[in-house]
Amino acid sequence: MKQLVGRFAPSPSGRMHLGNVLCALLSWLSARSQNGGYVLRIEDLDPDRCPRSYADLIEDDLTWLGLDWDAGGSKGGPDGSYYQSERTEIYQHYFDLLEQKGLIYPCFCSRAALHAASAPHLSDGRVIYAGTCRNLTPDEVAQKRKTRKPAARLIVPDRTITFTDGLQGECTEHLPTECGDFIIRRSDGVFAYQLAVVVDDALEGVTEVVRGRDLLGSTARQIWLHELLGFTPPQFIHMPLLNDVDGRRLSKRDADLDLGILRTRFTPEQLTGALACAAGLIDRPEAISARELIPLFSWDRVPHGDLCLPEGIF
Ligand code: GLU
């Protein structure tokens, strides 16, 4: 049987906060408790938002937490760098394959035009693209190119994607009405997360994706891209989100909960114990190392609904 390979794929746009740490911990525990491999991938596609210094801090924070990743696979492995910002040529290759299939068209719509279009808005704030640029003639495209750089959109077919999420159960999405043609390269030339994440998960041999439930809405698009590019999609497990003791969602704005501060107040074991307790792995928030949690880990113990931090700690 193929070895399980998990991954952690942070965007280094700031210091890791508790939600990221929980994602790292559970994805690592899931992989390591099944004798799986584990890949770290730095999703720094947007060079302005993701300075290298944050990526270095993520590595340092993971090491402090006692979470390791494999030297083979992405890091220093046959696919080269594990920084997405250094993998543009690889994404270009797969972009070209989609273009050769006639599945990509240039889109000149501004943000304002997209929001003004009478397309439905989904509950997660996504707007279904109205298809404005889908049937432009070559002359119209040439004309528009003179004043504006286009983004690139992928045409979606009349297909319903169904998958079984490890925690959220069966999910379905009808691509044209619940997703619409979506951007796979931005107008500034940066490849979209959707394309990069699929290419990297496939090339790095990732078989299990553990991430926050806020990314559930991207999964059908990613499964479709896996299929189009001839890859096998991984198993997806979308974790519940972390709430504070009052049931309020934690966010990056809770700066006091970023690791820069937390590392001055807690040991790695105290922090790991608090998160393991929130995730249902242990009954009380006692100090425990990530490695000691491996034999205790099971997805059956992790609640499907939102997780609450234990009282009196943060
Ligand atoms: N880089 C994304 C983030 O930090 C996660 C992508 C993924 O797990 O697929 O939000």
Side-chain angles (χ1 to χ4, degrees):
M1 213 175 88
K2 209 172 150 192
Q3 193 204 21
L4 183 143
V5 178
R7 50 83 148 172
F8 182 50
S11 304
S13 58
R15 194 78 191 248
M16 285 220 282
H17 58 101
L18 270 184
N20 304 129
V21 177
L22 180 69
C23 181
L25 180 65
L26 294 189
S27 56
W28 183 87
L29 284 172
S30 183
R32 295 304 195 209
S33 66
Q34 297 173 79
N35 292 320
Y38 191 68
V39 169
L40 171 65
R41 178 169 73 238
I42 302 294
E43 299 210 325
D44 59 347
L45 277 174
D46 193 334
D48 299 334
R49 289 183 55 231
C50 299
R52 184 58 62 91
S53 52
Y54 281 138
D56 294 344
L57 280 173
I58 288 175
E59 290 193 19
D60 191 60
D61 286 339
L62 291 174
T63 306
W64 180 80
L65 287 159
L67 305 179
D68 63 336
W69 56 95
D70 300 336
S74 57
K75 187 163 188 180
D79 296 318
S81 174
Y82 72 130
Y83 291 98
Q84 286 192 327
S85 59
E86 294 175 359
R87 296 169 58 80
T88 308
E89 279 172 30
I90 299 173
Y91 308 135
Q92 184 69 52
H93 169 75
Y94 288 96
F95 180 92
D96 292 345
L97 288 183
L98 296 170
E99 196 160 49
Q100 283 154 21
K101 290 178 193 254
L103 292 175
I104 291 178
Y105 61 89
C107 173
F108 297 89
C109 294
S110 64
R111 204 175 279 259
L114 290 175
H115 281 269
S118 58
H121 291 230
L122 297 179
S123 55
D124 64 2
R126 265 192 292 156
V127 177
I128 307 289
Y129 183 57
T132 319
C133 293
R134 193 171 183 169
N135 297 312
L136 295 177
T137 65
D139 278 354
E140 287 169 324
V141 169
Q143 212 45 43
K144 283 178 182 284
R145 272 190 201 278
K146 288 182 188 158
T147 54
R148 198 179 175 90
K149 278 195 180 154
R153 272 187 199 272
L154 184 82
I155 298 175
V156 297
D158 187 7
R159 261 287 298 274
T160 299
I161 301 290
T162 302
F163 61 97
T164 305
D165 183 90
L167 278 181
Q168 310 299 328
E170 189 169 293
C171 304
T172 62
E173 187 170 295
H174 181 232
L175 291 174
T177 57
E178 294 178 283
C179 171
D181 297 348
F182 59 93
I183 304 258
I184 61 166
R185 194 181 60 202
R186 297 183 342 194
S187 60
D188 61 3
V190 173
F191 288 103
Y193 154 69
Q194 307 294 356
L195 179 67
V197 78
V198 166
V199 167
D200 286 342
D201 280 338
L203 296 189
E204 292 166 2
V206 170
T207 62
E208 182 180 272
V209 168
V210 176
R211 60 188 180 191
R213 205 178 51 203
D214 50 330
L215 284 166
L216 190 58
S218 288
T219 307
R221 273 175 281 181
Q222 292 173 13
I223 289 175
W224 177 236
L225 276 171
H226 274 283
E227 277 188 34
L228 277 179
L229 294 171
F231 303 140
T232 304
Q235 161 77 45
F236 289 94
I237 303 176
H238 286 88
M239 305 180 325
L241 299 179
L242 197 56
N243 287 344
D244 69 11
V245 268
D246 305 321
R248 220 171 26 97
R249 174 123 325 138
L250 292 180
S251 75
K252 281 198 177 174
R253 282 188 298 275
D254 291 305
D256 52 335
L257 296 183
D258 87 26
L259 271 189
I261 305 279
L262 292 170
R263 280 177 64 164
T264 65
R265 292 174 48 204
F266 299 100
T267 65
E269 292 77 17
Q270 286 170 327
L271 198 58
T272 302
L275 288 173
C277 179
L281 302 180
I282 52 178
D283 297 334
R284 294 190 311 115
E286 301 159 331
I288 186 166
S289 71
R291 201 151 285 283
E292 286 168 315
L293 279 171
I294 293 176
L296 305 178
F297 180 79
S298 159
W299 283 113
D300 293 341
R301 307 177 86 138
V302 180
H304 296 196
D306 287 352
L307 305 181
C308 259
L309 288 172
E311 261 178 71
I313 295 188
F314 295 101

